[in-house]
Amino acid sequence: MTDTATHESSEKARIGAPSISGFTEEGENLSPLNEAASPIGGDAVKAHSHGGGAGIPDSSRAGRKTSYNVEDFPVLTGREEDFRFTPLKRMGGLHKNELTGPAPELSVSDAKVSTMETVAMSDPRVGSAGIPEDRVSANAWKHAAEAKVLTIPAGSTGEQVTLTYTGTSTEAAASHLVVVAEANSESVVVIDHVGSAVLAQNIEFDVQEGAKLTVISLQAWNDDAIHASSHLAKVGKKAKLKHIAVTYGGNLVRLTPSAHFGGENGEVELFGLYFADAGQHLEHRLFVDHATENCKSNVLYKGALQGKDAHTVWVGDVLIRKEAKGTNSYEANRNLVLTEGARADSVPNLEIETGLIDGAGHASTTGRFDDNHLFYLMSRGIDEKTARRLVVRGFLNEIVQQIRVPEIEERLAETIERELAATDS
């Protein structure tokens, strides 16, 4: 098992001290699942396509291109930083084709005070929380025929809304959703993805001043689904976003949550749980942009893998800009490999442009069962199969208990049991 962790002293550096060095992106091999993949080095460095930054191209997460226009992004080759692990051949054309298929049907349940509207893409609320950060997101923006806007009224509390996307087609499609949590509201929004689809999706979260929004995004697709979803969040002054991603369905799922602080004393928590079976590609790429003072972020994703060619990817980018004094940030990813033939890629990136922070760190671990845990349980009369299940359930439970919606927790517990039963057989 490997572990990398970095912590910054809580003692702030003197004004004028240089930026803390050593927190830039890590070089990795290109994904062998893409065409013309080759290790980064020598001439390959020159061919490695990036979009911005100073000095070394793409050396800063702040330098990545953002645009509403798909034409502003180069055609993907698989060598780009954001797609070096993604098997483009399996993307269903979401990165290059016309997305004219029928989008999954969206249904709303349990809404008491919230409202859902269908609006044109020209509505001023569309684009209020973020700008596409990659070609797939921009392509979805271009082809979305309309947008859905869910509004949680200012000052409301106790609202829990379930949005269900039901896919019935495997034609490439696009969809757009905006969730507006108005000032000082408190709410939980569950976004459930089921059925079959080939979908490029943008979801915006506008978390306004003093609002507290919990988002639970479930990727529970059928086995043939292909899903690339960009979650763009703007977190206002004294606002809090808790975002939980749960991914276990689909052939290929690529989720890219991105949180930007728009005011002081904001807080972001990003949690994730994924369980990959044979042949599945489950990818999560996160970005937390600390651009204002005295904000907090905490990221924890956990995943389990089993079966031949099960592949998970987790990339976590945290940028602490020069203006973000008093930042407190930590990100971690933990992976448990249950069988031979599974592969987990994990890359935490921490970029710090000021020494005047309260703390920052990152960590990543990937490994198999802890023999000491198994020995402890088996020494107390528990058979090996049951002991392994207990270890996996305990490993994932740290994320499950963050959900705090009983029906979702129960459903997820049943799903984990089914996955573990497949391991046993």
Side-chain angles (χ1 to χ4, degrees), residues 145 175 260 284 403:
S175 73
H260 302 263
H284 299 82
I403 295 174

Side-chain angles (χ1 to χ4, degrees), residues 34 39 45 54-55 87 139 147 150 209 225 244 273 305 308 336 382 409:
N34 287 320
V45 172
N139 201 31
L150 177 72
E209 183 173 346
I244 305 169
L273 184 156
L305 304 81
K308 186 176 185 300
L336 187 58
I382 300 174
E409 291 186 359

Side-chain angles (χ1 to χ4, degrees), residues 404-424:
R404 295 171 189 169
V405 178
E407 57 269 28
I408 300 298
E409 291 186 359
E410 182 178 349
R411 173 180 163 188
L412 187 52
E414 292 173 353
T415 299
I416 293 172
E417 285 301 315
R418 287 197 302 271
E419 297 285 359
L420 294 174
T423 307
D424 294 338

Side-chain angles (χ1 to χ4, degrees), residues 13-285:
R14 63 179 176 84
I15 295 176
S19 299
I20 299 173
S21 62
F23 297 103
T24 57
E25 292 180 344
E26 301 177 7
E28 297 287 338
N29 287 342
L30 298 174
S31 170
L33 303 176
N34 287 320
E35 297 180 22
S38 60
I40 301 176
D43 293 338
V45 172
K46 300 176 183 179
H48 198 59
S49 175
H50 296 287
I56 301 173
D58 209 7
S59 60
S60 170
R61 188 61 172 81
R64 302 276 180 87
K65 184 183 293 295
T66 60
S67 176
Y68 297 108
N69 300 314
V70 67
E71 293 80 10
D72 290 338
F73 294 92
V75 175
L76 297 180
T77 65
R79 295 179 175 226
E80 297 79 9
E81 173 60 31
D82 281 357
F83 289 89
R84 59 192 171 104
F85 292 114
T86 308
L88 296 180
K89 295 179 182 179
R90 295 171 56 182
M91 284 284 289
L94 295 178
H95 59 300
K96 60 182 180 179
N97 292 349
E98 299 287 317
L99 309 179
T100 56
E105 181 179 350
L106 175 59
S107 61
V108 183
S109 59
D110 304 324
K112 297 180 179 63
V113 297
S114 300
T115 59
M116 176 69 82
E117 304 170 70
T118 300
V119 302
M121 290 294 289
S122 58
D123 188 284
R125 291 168 294 183
V126 177
S128 61
I131 305 173
E133 298 173 355
D134 62 46
R135 183 177 175 87
V136 178
S137 178
N139 201 31
W141 206 288
K142 175 181 178 180
H143 290 102
E146 60 189 22
K148 304 288 187 179
V149 179
L150 177 72
T151 302
I152 298 119
S156 60
T157 59
E159 182 77 335
Q160 180 178 314
V161 184
T162 298
L163 309 180
T164 303
Y165 283 93
T166 303
T168 58
S169 171
T170 54
E171 296 181 56
S175 73
H176 198 107
L177 170 67
V178 182
V179 177
V180 180
E182 292 186 339
N184 300 309
S185 62
E186 294 186 22
S187 58
V188 176
V189 176
V190 178
I191 307 174
D192 197 4
H193 300 89
V194 297
S196 297
V198 178
L199 178 64
Q201 178 187 54
N202 286 306
I203 303 180
E204 299 182 64
F205 303 102
D206 183 3
V207 190
Q208 298 181 0
E209 183 173 346
K212 295 181 180 179
L213 174 64
T214 296
V215 175
I216 304 166
S217 180
L218 302 167
Q219 287 63 243
W221 297 105
N222 291 348
D223 292 341
D224 59 348
I226 300 170
H227 184 204
S229 185
S230 177
H231 291 194
L232 302 167
K234 181 178 70 176
V235 181
K237 182 179 180 180
K238 296 182 180 179
K240 179 177 179 178
L241 171 66
K242 182 178 182 180
H243 183 283
I244 305 169
V246 178
T247 306
Y248 55 85
N251 179 287
L252 179 148
V253 175
R254 187 178 193 271
L255 195 66
T256 55
S258 184
H260 302 263
F261 288 102
E264 292 186 21
N265 297 300
E267 184 174 352
V268 167
E269 292 182 306
L270 301 178
F271 297 105
L273 184 156
Y274 47 88
F275 205 127
D277 286 322
Q280 277 188 302
H281 179 94
L282 306 182
E283 181 168 347
H284 299 82
R285 284 180 168 267

Side-chain angles (χ1 to χ4, degrees), residues 8-9 11-21 23 290-294 318-328 350-360:
E8 298 306 320
S9 170
E11 180 181 358
K12 297 182 178 180
R14 63 179 176 84
I15 295 176
S19 299
I20 299 173
S21 62
F23 297 103
H290 283 270
T292 57
E293 296 183 4
N294 302 316
V318 174
L319 170 64
I320 302 174
R321 299 178 186 262
K322 293 180 180 178
E323 304 85 357
K325 300 175 183 177
T327 290
N328 195 325
L350 178 58
E351 185 177 356
I352 305 174
E353 296 180 349
T354 176
L356 302 178
I357 60 175
D358 286 346

